[in-house]
């Protein structure tokens, strides 16, 4: 149960105690120290300690023992709500959310394309991409400042798919291990439909059950990652005075004001942000928002296309034949620079070859490819 200390912070639970409960907590702790003959912690120091000091004293006993004593004492002072919340946070809440996110990203279909996300992104997002994001969002050396990273790129280049695959990788524990307890994805095109909302409401919309443990989630803002996609999809007023912004996560605000408060570090300044937008919107925002890094999402180059064709076909000869047809057709080659369209073209060619059709005639007109793809969606 050591993850309780490292992931959620003993200090948060001590702060939930009123003055009388805190004094009782100290009395029971002194009894525990004497019974267990713990030399690392002085009874005198416990009596004088503030909540912050007491958390540090407890940790001298080691994380496991600190938790065991804390849990027993919370039970003795009848704070059942805290023991239940702590237990849920340790063994349930983060894992519950990760599992929900994994299922959502694995099985949900994008509204515009009848294709499961993992059928595409697992082929286009490689270890180098994971490493790049790790380097952007993990502090170097002793530096511990929160991060704000912009991912900019032309519309259709694959930013959303990249971010959703990053979320999927996080839910599987492939990136940001021990860095973020929670990662939340908000798309501006979607959230702007709400008109007004609080951050707590946005988080609750992503939670697998009606009641999200908001206080627990927000208890360590430095372990939160907010991914905000498609900033170009919302009207921004970045000229607002700081006093017009909001720092209360429970308070309803116009959605643009709410997200501006996150971007301008009025709300949860310790959290990390990963933002995506077009170059035009980034240019308008860069002087008003202090970011720690900028990453450019580029179109597929020839090498990336080849890699994808070979992974999809899994037959070197067939993959090379199919890619040659694309390479010789300037219009098709340009289309395949967009990752999702590359998937569509490669899939259509693969299906045509497998059923003994003529891929050459299919490539003569892009209309043929589009209609083949559309018809394939209706045929079981």
């Amino acid at each position: 149960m050591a993850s309780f200390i490292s992931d959620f912070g003993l200090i948060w639970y001590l702060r939930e105690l009123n003055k009388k409960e805190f004094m009782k907590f100290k009395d029971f702790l002194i009894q525990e120290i004497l019974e267990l003959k713990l030399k690392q912690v002085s009874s005198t120091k416990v009596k004088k300690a503030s909540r912050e000091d007491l958390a540090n004293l407890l940790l001298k006993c080691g994380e496991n023992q600190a938790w065991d004593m804390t849990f027993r004492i919370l039970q003795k002072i009848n704070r059942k709500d805290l023991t239940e919340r702590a237990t849920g946070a340790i063994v349930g809440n983060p894992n519950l959310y990760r599992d929900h996110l994994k299922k959502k990203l694995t099985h949900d279909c994008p509204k515009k394309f009848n294709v499961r996300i993992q059928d595409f992104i697992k082929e286009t997002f490689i270890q180098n991409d994971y490493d790049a994001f790790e380097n952007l969002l993990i502090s170097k050396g002793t530096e511990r400042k929160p991060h704000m990273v912009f991912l900019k790129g032309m519309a259709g280049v694959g930013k959303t798919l990249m971010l959703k695959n990053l979320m999927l990788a996080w839910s599987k524990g492939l990136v940001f291990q021990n860095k973020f307890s929670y990662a939340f994805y908000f798309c501006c095109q979607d959230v702007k439909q709400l008109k007004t909302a609080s951050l707590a409401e946005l988080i609750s919309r992503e939670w697998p059950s009606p009641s999200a443990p908001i206080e627990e989630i927000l208890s360590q803002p430095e372990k939160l990652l907010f991914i905000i996609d498609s900033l170009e999809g919302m009207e921004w007023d970045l000229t607002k005075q700081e006093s017009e912004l909001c720092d209360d996560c429970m308070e309803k605000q116009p959605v643009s004001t709410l997200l501006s408060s996150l971007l301008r570090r009025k709300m949860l300044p310790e959290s990390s942000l990963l933002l995506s937008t077009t170059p035009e919107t980034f240019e308008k925002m860069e002087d008003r928002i202090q970011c720690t890094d900028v990453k450019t999402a580029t179109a597929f180059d020839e090498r990336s296309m080849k890699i994808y064709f070979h992974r999809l076909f899994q037959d070197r000869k067939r993959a090379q034949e199919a890619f040659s047809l694309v390479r010789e057709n300037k219009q098709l080659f340009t289309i395949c620079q967009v990752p999702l369209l590359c998937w569509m073209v490669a899939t259509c060619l693969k299906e045509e070859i497998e059923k003994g059709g003529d891929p050459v005639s299919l490539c003569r007109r892009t209309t043929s490819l589009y209609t083949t793809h559309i018809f394939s969606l209706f045929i079981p």
Side-chain angles (χ1 to χ4, degrees):
M1 291 192 176
S3 61
F4 164 76
I5 303 293
S6 58
D7 287 349
F8 299 100
L10 176 57
I11 183 61
W12 184 86
Y13 289 86
L14 295 179
R15 284 174 179 161
E16 288 296 298
L17 304 177
N18 61 36
K19 188 175 180 180
K20 187 177 179 180
E21 289 170 335
F22 185 55
M23 295 306 294
K24 282 186 178 180
F25 187 97
K26 286 183 176 183
D27 292 338
F28 281 119
L29 179 58
I30 291 171
Q31 288 179 25
E32 292 258 350
I33 291 169
L34 295 174
E35 289 171 7
L36 297 172
K37 299 179 180 179
L38 298 174
K39 296 180 180 179
Q40 307 98 313
V41 182
S42 160
S43 299
T44 305
K45 287 184 177 179
V46 168
K47 289 179 181 178
K48 297 178 180 179
S50 64
R51 287 167 170 77
E52 291 81 0
D53 293 336
L54 191 61
N56 291 327
L57 287 172
L58 277 165
L59 287 173
K60 289 182 179 180
C61 302
E63 290 188 356
N64 283 324
Q65 191 155 36
W67 162 245
D68 289 340
M69 289 192 295
T70 301
F71 195 83
R72 285 195 297 270
I73 296 170
L74 288 175
Q75 288 177 317
K76 288 177 182 178
I77 63 175
N78 295 317
R79 285 304 303 263
K80 186 179 178 182
D81 59 323
L82 292 183
T83 57
E84 287 179 349
R85 182 175 294 172
T87 304
I90 298 160
V91 300
N93 292 337
N95 291 337
L96 177 70
Y97 176 65
R98 283 176 186 263
D99 288 342
H100 164 71
L101 192 62
K102 196 187 308 178
K103 289 175 185 174
K104 180 180 177 182
L105 292 171
T106 300
H107 300 295
D108 282 7
C109 298
K111 294 175 184 176
K112 294 182 181 178
F113 307 98
N114 189 21
V115 49
R116 293 193 305 171
I117 287 176
Q118 83 277 14
D119 289 342
F120 174 67
I121 55 179
K122 70 181 180 183
E123 303 293 352
T124 61
F125 210 74
I126 56 178
Q127 189 60 46
N128 288 344
D129 297 298
Y130 296 139
D131 294 341
F133 277 113
E134 289 271 16
N135 291 335
L136 286 175
L137 288 167
I138 291 186
S139 301
K140 311 295 189 297
T142 57
E143 180 190 17
R144 289 189 174 275
K145 66 178 181 179
H147 295 272
M148 181 182 290
V149 177
F150 266 96
L151 176 66
K152 64 174 183 175
M154 300 301 293
V157 81
K159 299 185 297 297
T160 295
L161 284 170
M162 184 180 290
L163 293 178
K164 287 193 173 182
N165 196 46
L166 180 64
M167 289 288 286
L168 182 60
W170 174 79
S171 73
K172 293 180 176 179
L174 299 175
V175 291
F176 310 137
Q177 292 186 34
N178 304 318
K179 169 67 176 173
F180 299 116
S181 298
Y182 295 97
F184 294 101
Y185 171 88
F186 304 138
C187 177
C188 290
Q189 300 281 8
D190 294 333
V191 298
K192 74 176 181 181
Q193 308 300 326
L194 299 175
K195 306 301 181 186
T196 63
S198 66
L199 183 62
E201 288 174 332
L202 292 187
I203 290 173
S204 296
R205 279 163 51 92
E206 303 301 315
W207 199 255
S209 61
S211 179
I214 296 298
E215 290 183 4
E216 193 67 61
I217 291 169
L218 300 178
S219 64
Q220 281 196 302
E222 69 276 8
K223 301 203 77 174
L224 295 178
L225 171 63
F226 293 103
I227 297 177
I228 305 177
D229 192 13
S230 304
L231 297 186
E232 68 277 5
M234 185 172 287
E235 294 292 328
W236 299 93
D237 182 7
L238 299 176
T239 61
K240 283 188 175 183
Q241 298 296 318
E242 187 176 345
S243 59
E244 298 179 78
L245 300 176
C246 177
D247 62 359
D248 185 350
C249 299
M250 310 302 289
E251 184 180 326
K252 275 197 169 193
Q253 292 284 336
V255 172
S256 60
T257 302
L258 172 64
L259 295 183
S260 291
S261 301
L262 275 174
L263 266 59
R264 291 176 60 186
R265 296 303 194 187
K266 177 77 171 181
M267 183 181 291
L268 299 180
E270 307 92 339
S271 63
S272 291
L273 298 171
L274 177 55
L275 317 167
S276 89
T277 191
T278 58
E280 295 80 9
T281 302
F282 173 73
E283 191 174 329
K284 294 174 184 176
M285 302 180 85
E286 63 177 328
D287 291 336
R288 298 189 176 275
I289 296 176
Q290 294 183 344
C291 60
T292 54
D293 215 330
V294 180
K295 180 180 173 65
T296 301
T298 56
F300 264 8
D301 57 16
E302 185 169 342
R303 177 177 172 275
S304 299
M305 291 182 212
K306 278 184 178 178
I307 289 173
Y308 182 67
F309 268 74
H310 280 279
R311 285 179 178 171
L312 182 66
F313 278 81
Q314 296 182 340
D315 180 311
R316 187 178 181 84
K317 185 179 178 182
R318 284 188 172 183
Q320 190 55 49
E321 288 174 359
F323 182 73
S324 296
L325 294 173
V326 171
R327 189 68 188 87
E328 292 164 7
N329 186 316
K330 186 177 179 181
Q331 191 175 12
L332 270 187
F333 186 76
T334 302
I335 287 171
C336 285
Q337 290 177 5
V338 177
L340 194 57
L341 294 181
C342 182
W343 169 86
M344 187 203 73
V345 170
T347 301
C348 286
L349 289 174
K350 182 174 182 286
E351 290 173 352
E352 189 72 11
I353 291 170
E354 287 176 348
K355 70 182 183 182
D358 181 11
V360 176
S361 61
L362 187 63
C363 289
R364 285 184 185 142
R365 285 189 172 88
T366 54
T367 310
S368 301
L369 273 166
Y370 291 143
T371 52
T372 299
H373 174 64
I374 290 170
F375 275 115
S376 73
L377 301 180
F378 292 100
I379 300 171

